PDB file of all heavy atoms in Angstrom:
ATOM      1  N   THR A   1     102.430 139.714 102.793  1.00  0.00           N
ATOM      2  CA  THR A   1     103.467 140.145 103.725  1.00  0.00           C
ATOM      3  C   THR A   1     104.702 139.260 103.628  1.00  0.00           C
ATOM      4  O   THR A   1     105.837 139.749 103.560  1.00  0.00           O
ATOM      5  CB  THR A   1     102.927 140.126 105.165  1.00  0.00           C
ATOM      6  OG1 THR A   1     101.791 140.997 105.255  1.00  0.00           O
ATOM      7  CG2 THR A   1     103.989 140.569 106.152  1.00  0.00           C
ATOM      8  N   VAL A   2     104.491 137.953 103.609  1.00  0.00           N
ATOM      9  CA  VAL A   2     105.621 137.011 103.550  1.00  0.00           C
ATOM     10  C   VAL A   2     106.399 137.181 102.253  1.00  0.00           C
ATOM     11  O   VAL A   2     107.637 137.240 102.240  1.00  0.00           O
ATOM     12  CB  VAL A   2     105.113 135.559 103.702  1.00  0.00           C
ATOM     13  CG1 VAL A   2     106.241 134.563 103.439  1.00  0.00           C
ATOM     14  CG2 VAL A   2     104.536 135.340 105.090  1.00  0.00           C
ATOM     15  N   LEU A   3     105.684 137.267 101.126  1.00  0.00           N
ATOM     16  CA  LEU A   3     106.360 137.405  99.836  1.00  0.00           C
ATOM     17  C   LEU A   3     107.115 138.731  99.733  1.00  0.00           C
ATOM     18  O   LEU A   3     108.204 138.783  99.148  1.00  0.00           O
ATOM     19  CB  LEU A   3     105.347 137.281  98.698  1.00  0.00           C
ATOM     20  CG  LEU A   3     104.803 135.874  98.426  1.00  0.00           C
ATOM     21  CD1 LEU A   3     103.644 135.934  97.436  1.00  0.00           C
ATOM     22  CD2 LEU A   3     105.908 134.972  97.886  1.00  0.00           C
ATOM     23  N   SER A   4     106.558 139.804 100.292  1.00  0.00           N
ATOM     24  CA  SER A   4     107.251 141.095 100.231  1.00  0.00           C
ATOM     25  C   SER A   4     108.531 141.066 101.049  1.00  0.00           C
ATOM     26  O   SER A   4     109.573 141.590 100.611  1.00  0.00           O
ATOM     27  CB  SER A   4     106.322 142.214 100.714  1.00  0.00           C
ATOM     28  OG  SER A   4     106.021 142.076 102.089  1.00  0.00           O
ATOM     29  N   VAL A   5     108.484 140.469 102.242  1.00  0.00           N
ATOM     30  CA  VAL A   5     109.679 140.375 103.077  1.00  0.00           C
ATOM     31  C   VAL A   5     110.753 139.537 102.379  1.00  0.00           C
ATOM     32  O   VAL A   5     111.926 139.938 102.304  1.00  0.00           O
ATOM     33  CB  VAL A   5     109.345 139.769 104.452  1.00  0.00           C
ATOM     34  CG1 VAL A   5     110.622 139.490 105.241  1.00  0.00           C
ATOM     35  CG2 VAL A   5     108.445 140.698 105.248  1.00  0.00           C
ATOM     36  N   LEU A   6     110.363 138.392 101.853  1.00  0.00           N
ATOM     37  CA  LEU A   6     111.329 137.516 101.199  1.00  0.00           C
ATOM     38  C   LEU A   6     111.879 138.141  99.922  1.00  0.00           C
ATOM     39  O   LEU A   6     113.081 138.064  99.644  1.00  0.00           O
ATOM     40  CB  LEU A   6     110.680 136.163 100.881  1.00  0.00           C
ATOM     41  CG  LEU A   6     110.306 135.297 102.081  1.00  0.00           C
ATOM     42  CD1 LEU A   6     109.600 134.027 101.621  1.00  0.00           C
ATOM     43  CD2 LEU A   6     111.544 134.948 102.900  1.00  0.00           C
ATOM     44  N   GLY A   7     111.002 138.795  99.132  1.00  0.00           N
ATOM     45  CA  GLY A   7     111.436 139.374  97.865  1.00  0.00           C
ATOM     46  C   GLY A   7     112.423 140.510  98.060  1.00  0.00           C
ATOM     47  O   GLY A   7     113.519 140.514  97.478  1.00  0.00           O
ATOM     48  N   VAL A   8     112.050 141.488  98.884  1.00  0.00           N
ATOM     49  CA  VAL A   8     112.943 142.627  99.113  1.00  0.00           C
ATOM     50  C   VAL A   8     114.176 142.194  99.906  1.00  0.00           C
ATOM     51  O   VAL A   8     115.289 142.677  99.659  1.00  0.00           O
ATOM     52  CB  VAL A   8     112.199 143.761  99.835  1.00  0.00           C
ATOM     53  CG1 VAL A   8     113.136 144.927 100.118  1.00  0.00           C
ATOM     54  CG2 VAL A   8     111.020 144.236  98.997  1.00  0.00           C
ATOM     55  N   GLY A   9     114.008 141.255 100.827  1.00  0.00           N
ATOM     56  CA  GLY A   9     115.146 140.767 101.596  1.00  0.00           C
ATOM     57  C   GLY A   9     116.166 140.058 100.722  1.00  0.00           C
ATOM     58  O   GLY A   9     117.380 140.244 100.881  1.00  0.00           O
ATOM     59  N   THR A  10     115.696 139.233  99.768  1.00  0.00           N
ATOM     60  CA  THR A  10     116.602 138.532  98.860  1.00  0.00           C
ATOM     61  C   THR A  10     117.320 139.512  97.941  1.00  0.00           C
ATOM     62  O   THR A  10     118.520 139.365  97.667  1.00  0.00           O
ATOM     63  CB  THR A  10     115.817 137.509  98.021  1.00  0.00           C
ATOM     64  OG1 THR A  10     115.100 136.627  98.890  1.00  0.00           O
ATOM     65  CG2 THR A  10     116.753 136.676  97.154  1.00  0.00           C
ATOM     66  N   LEU A  11     116.602 140.517  97.463  1.00  0.00           N
ATOM     67  CA  LEU A  11     117.225 141.541  96.631  1.00  0.00           C
ATOM     68  C   LEU A  11     118.294 142.298  97.421  1.00  0.00           C
ATOM     69  O   LEU A  11     119.394 142.562  96.917  1.00  0.00           O
ATOM     70  CB  LEU A  11     116.161 142.512  96.132  1.00  0.00           C
ATOM     71  CG  LEU A  11     116.649 143.722  95.322  1.00  0.00           C
ATOM     72  CD1 LEU A  11     117.359 143.276  94.056  1.00  0.00           C
ATOM     73  CD2 LEU A  11     115.478 144.653  94.985  1.00  0.00           C
ATOM     74  N   THR A  12     117.994 142.628  98.669  1.00  0.00           N
ATOM     75  CA  THR A  12     118.955 143.333  99.523  1.00  0.00           C
ATOM     76  C   THR A  12     120.196 142.477  99.760  1.00  0.00           C
ATOM     77  O   THR A  12     121.329 142.981  99.743  1.00  0.00           O
ATOM     78  CB  THR A  12     118.302 143.693 100.863  1.00  0.00           C
ATOM     79  OG1 THR A  12     117.126 144.470 100.619  1.00  0.00           O
ATOM     80  CG2 THR A  12     119.251 144.482 101.745  1.00  0.00           C
ATOM     81  N   TYR A  13     119.990 141.189  99.966  1.00  0.00           N
ATOM     82  CA  TYR A  13     121.125 140.277 100.164  1.00  0.00           C
ATOM     83  C   TYR A  13     122.061 140.317  98.955  1.00  0.00           C
ATOM     84  O   TYR A  13     123.295 140.433  99.105  1.00  0.00           O
ATOM     85  CB  TYR A  13     120.618 138.853 100.382  1.00  0.00           C
ATOM     86  CG  TYR A  13     121.744 137.840 100.503  1.00  0.00           C
ATOM     87  CD1 TYR A  13     122.353 137.594 101.729  1.00  0.00           C
ATOM     88  CD2 TYR A  13     122.199 137.146  99.390  1.00  0.00           C
ATOM     89  CE1 TYR A  13     123.397 136.684 101.843  1.00  0.00           C
ATOM     90  CE2 TYR A  13     123.240 136.228  99.495  1.00  0.00           C
ATOM     91  CZ  TYR A  13     123.827 135.997 100.720  1.00  0.00           C
ATOM     92  OH  TYR A  13     124.865 135.095 100.824  1.00  0.00           O
ATOM     93  N   GLY A  14     121.496 140.249  97.764  1.00  0.00           N
ATOM     94  CA  GLY A  14     122.322 140.276  96.568  1.00  0.00           C
ATOM     95  C   GLY A  14     123.094 141.578  96.431  1.00  0.00           C
ATOM     96  O   GLY A  14     124.275 141.580  96.073  1.00  0.00           O
ATOM     97  N   LEU A  15     122.449 142.690  96.735  1.00  0.00           N
ATOM     98  CA  LEU A  15     123.094 143.992  96.595  1.00  0.00           C
ATOM     99  C   LEU A  15     124.206 144.198  97.626  1.00  0.00           C
ATOM    100  O   LEU A  15     125.260 144.770  97.319  1.00  0.00           O
ATOM    101  CB  LEU A  15     122.053 145.106  96.723  1.00  0.00           C
ATOM    102  CG  LEU A  15     121.043 145.220  95.576  1.00  0.00           C
ATOM    103  CD1 LEU A  15     119.943 146.216  95.933  1.00  0.00           C
ATOM    104  CD2 LEU A  15     121.742 145.648  94.285  1.00  0.00           C
ATOM    105  N   ILE A  16     123.985 143.749  98.858  1.00  0.00           N
ATOM    106  CA  ILE A  16     124.984 143.939  99.903  1.00  0.00           C
ATOM    107  C   ILE A  16     126.151 142.968  99.752  1.00  0.00           C
ATOM    108  O   ILE A  16     127.324 143.344  99.866  1.00  0.00           O
ATOM    109  CB  ILE A  16     124.338 143.795 101.301  1.00  0.00           C
ATOM    110  CG1 ILE A  16     123.400 144.984 101.572  1.00  0.00           C
ATOM    111  CG2 ILE A  16     125.407 143.715 102.389  1.00  0.00           C
ATOM    112  CD1 ILE A  16     122.698 144.919 102.912  1.00  0.00           C
ATOM    113  N   GLU A  17     125.845 141.708  99.469  1.00  0.00           N
ATOM    114  CA  GLU A  17     126.886 140.687  99.423  1.00  0.00           C
ATOM    115  C   GLU A  17     127.596 140.613  98.072  1.00  0.00           C
ATOM    116  O   GLU A  17     128.657 140.002  97.953  1.00  0.00           O
ATOM    117  CB  GLU A  17     126.293 139.313  99.758  1.00  0.00           C
ATOM    118  CG  GLU A  17     125.732 139.202 101.163  1.00  0.00           C
ATOM    119  CD  GLU A  17     126.828 139.236 102.224  1.00  0.00           C
ATOM    120  OE1 GLU A  17     127.973 138.861 101.895  1.00  0.00           O
ATOM    121  OE2 GLU A  17     126.524 139.633 103.370  1.00  0.00           O
ATOM    122  N   GLY A  18     127.020 141.238  97.041  1.00  0.00           N
ATOM    123  CA  GLY A  18     127.609 141.138  95.709  1.00  0.00           C
ATOM    124  C   GLY A  18     129.017 141.684  95.635  1.00  0.00           C
ATOM    125  O   GLY A  18     129.870 141.152  94.913  1.00  0.00           O
ATOM    126  N   GLY A  19     129.288 142.763  96.402  1.00  0.00           N
ATOM    127  CA  GLY A  19     130.616 143.360  96.354  1.00  0.00           C
ATOM    128  C   GLY A  19     131.694 142.458  96.903  1.00  0.00           C
ATOM    129  O   GLY A  19     132.827 142.469  96.420  1.00  0.00           O
ATOM    130  N   SER A  20     131.360 141.659  97.933  1.00  0.00           N
ATOM    131  CA  SER A  20     132.369 140.799  98.546  1.00  0.00           C
ATOM    132  C   SER A  20     132.422 139.415  97.914  1.00  0.00           C
ATOM    133  O   SER A  20     133.497 138.811  97.798  1.00  0.00           O
ATOM    134  CB  SER A  20     132.103 140.668 100.052  1.00  0.00           C
ATOM    135  OG  SER A  20     130.803 140.152 100.294  1.00  0.00           O
ATOM    136  N   ARG A  21     131.289 138.889  97.465  1.00  0.00           N
ATOM    137  CA  ARG A  21     131.249 137.544  96.886  1.00  0.00           C
ATOM    138  C   ARG A  21     131.489 137.531  95.379  1.00  0.00           C
ATOM    139  O   ARG A  21     131.781 136.487  94.809  1.00  0.00           O
ATOM    140  CB  ARG A  21     129.896 136.876  97.184  1.00  0.00           C
ATOM    141  CG  ARG A  21     129.642 136.610  98.662  1.00  0.00           C
ATOM    142  CD  ARG A  21     128.259 136.027  98.881  1.00  0.00           C
ATOM    143  NE  ARG A  21     128.008 135.741 100.276  1.00  0.00           N
ATOM    144  CZ  ARG A  21     128.238 134.570 100.860  1.00  0.00           C
ATOM    145  NH1 ARG A  21     128.747 133.568 100.145  1.00  0.00           N
ATOM    146  NH2 ARG A  21     127.978 134.378 102.130  1.00  0.00           N
ATOM    147  N   GLY A  22     131.331 138.696  94.751  1.00  0.00           N
ATOM    148  CA  GLY A  22     131.462 138.764  93.305  1.00  0.00           C
ATOM    149  C   GLY A  22     130.088 138.812  92.649  1.00  0.00           C
ATOM    150  O   GLY A  22     129.224 137.972  92.944  1.00  0.00           O
ATOM    151  N   TRP A  23     129.890 139.801  91.764  1.00  0.00           N
ATOM    152  CA  TRP A  23     128.569 140.004  91.175  1.00  0.00           C
ATOM    153  C   TRP A  23     128.128 138.854  90.272  1.00  0.00           C
ATOM    154  O   TRP A  23     126.938 138.693  90.016  1.00  0.00           O
ATOM    155  CB  TRP A  23     128.554 141.324  90.400  1.00  0.00           C
ATOM    156  CG  TRP A  23     128.735 142.509  91.283  1.00  0.00           C
ATOM    157  CD1 TRP A  23     129.858 143.264  91.425  1.00  0.00           C
ATOM    158  CD2 TRP A  23     127.778 143.059  92.195  1.00  0.00           C
ATOM    159  NE1 TRP A  23     129.669 144.263  92.359  1.00  0.00           N
ATOM    160  CE2 TRP A  23     128.397 144.161  92.843  1.00  0.00           C
ATOM    161  CE3 TRP A  23     126.459 142.731  92.530  1.00  0.00           C
ATOM    162  CZ2 TRP A  23     127.742 144.935  93.799  1.00  0.00           C
ATOM    163  CZ3 TRP A  23     125.812 143.502  93.482  1.00  0.00           C
ATOM    164  CH2 TRP A  23     126.436 144.583  94.103  1.00  0.00           C
ATOM    165  N   THR A  24     129.063 138.064  89.795  1.00  0.00           N
ATOM    166  CA  THR A  24     128.698 136.949  88.908  1.00  0.00           C
ATOM    167  C   THR A  24     128.748 135.602  89.612  1.00  0.00           C
ATOM    168  O   THR A  24     128.623 134.565  88.961  1.00  0.00           O
ATOM    169  CB  THR A  24     129.644 136.919  87.686  1.00  0.00           C
ATOM    170  OG1 THR A  24     131.000 136.777  88.140  1.00  0.00           O
ATOM    171  CG2 THR A  24     129.498 138.188  86.860  1.00  0.00           C
ATOM    172  N   SER A  25     128.935 135.609  90.924  1.00  0.00           N
ATOM    173  CA  SER A  25     128.965 134.335  91.648  1.00  0.00           C
ATOM    174  C   SER A  25     127.574 133.701  91.644  1.00  0.00           C
ATOM    175  O   SER A  25     126.556 134.398  91.595  1.00  0.00           O
ATOM    176  CB  SER A  25     129.427 134.560  93.086  1.00  0.00           C
ATOM    177  OG  SER A  25     128.455 135.291  93.818  1.00  0.00           O
ATOM    178  N   PRO A  26     127.504 132.376  91.675  1.00  0.00           N
ATOM    179  CA  PRO A  26     126.197 131.688  91.632  1.00  0.00           C
ATOM    180  C   PRO A  26     125.244 132.127  92.742  1.00  0.00           C
ATOM    181  O   PRO A  26     124.043 132.242  92.516  1.00  0.00           O
ATOM    182  CB  PRO A  26     126.586 130.209  91.770  1.00  0.00           C
ATOM    183  CG  PRO A  26     127.988 130.130  91.263  1.00  0.00           C
ATOM    184  CD  PRO A  26     128.636 131.415  91.656  1.00  0.00           C
ATOM    185  N   VAL A  27     125.794 132.374  93.936  1.00  0.00           N
ATOM    186  CA  VAL A  27     124.930 132.766  95.059  1.00  0.00           C
ATOM    187  C   VAL A  27     124.263 134.109  94.783  1.00  0.00           C
ATOM    188  O   VAL A  27     123.048 134.281  95.023  1.00  0.00           O
ATOM    189  CB  VAL A  27     125.752 132.828  96.361  1.00  0.00           C
ATOM    190  CG1 VAL A  27     124.905 133.423  97.491  1.00  0.00           C
ATOM    191  CG2 VAL A  27     126.253 131.460  96.749  1.00  0.00           C
ATOM    192  N   ILE A  28     125.025 135.065  94.264  1.00  0.00           N
ATOM    193  CA  ILE A  28     124.479 136.401  94.014  1.00  0.00           C
ATOM    194  C   ILE A  28     123.513 136.382  92.838  1.00  0.00           C
ATOM    195  O   ILE A  28     122.413 136.956  92.915  1.00  0.00           O
ATOM    196  CB  ILE A  28     125.623 137.408  93.766  1.00  0.00           C
ATOM    197  CG1 ILE A  28     126.532 137.479  94.990  1.00  0.00           C
ATOM    198  CG2 ILE A  28     125.055 138.777  93.440  1.00  0.00           C
ATOM    199  CD1 ILE A  28     125.824 137.809  96.288  1.00  0.00           C
ATOM    200  N   LEU A  29     123.896 135.719  91.757  1.00  0.00           N
ATOM    201  CA  LEU A  29     122.982 135.617  90.620  1.00  0.00           C
ATOM    202  C   LEU A  29     121.701 134.893  91.023  1.00  0.00           C
ATOM    203  O   LEU A  29     120.597 135.267  90.600  1.00  0.00           O
ATOM    204  CB  LEU A  29     123.664 134.896  89.455  1.00  0.00           C
ATOM    205  CG  LEU A  29     124.836 135.638  88.789  1.00  0.00           C
ATOM    206  CD1 LEU A  29     125.471 134.771  87.710  1.00  0.00           C
ATOM    207  CD2 LEU A  29     124.355 136.957  88.191  1.00  0.00           C
ATOM    208  N   GLY A  30     121.850 133.852  91.844  1.00  0.00           N
ATOM    209  CA  GLY A  30     120.670 133.129  92.323  1.00  0.00           C
ATOM    210  C   GLY A  30     119.782 133.993  93.195  1.00  0.00           C
ATOM    211  O   GLY A  30     118.547 133.901  93.127  1.00  0.00           O
TER     212      GLY A  30
END
């Protein structure tokens, strides 16, 4: 349960924030 929440949540963060932070920014790539 913990790994699924963290995994999908981290992926969602990258997809939502990538447009504003830049798709190649270290935070999004990380």
Side-chain angles (χ1 to χ4, degrees):
T1 301
V2 172
L3 287 171
S4 66
V5 172
L6 293 177
V8 178
T10 305
L11 176 61
T12 304
Y13 176 86
L15 291 171
I16 291 179
E17 297 291 334
S20 58
R21 295 177 179 268
W23 295 105
T24 59
S25 68
V27 172
I28 300 305
L29 293 176

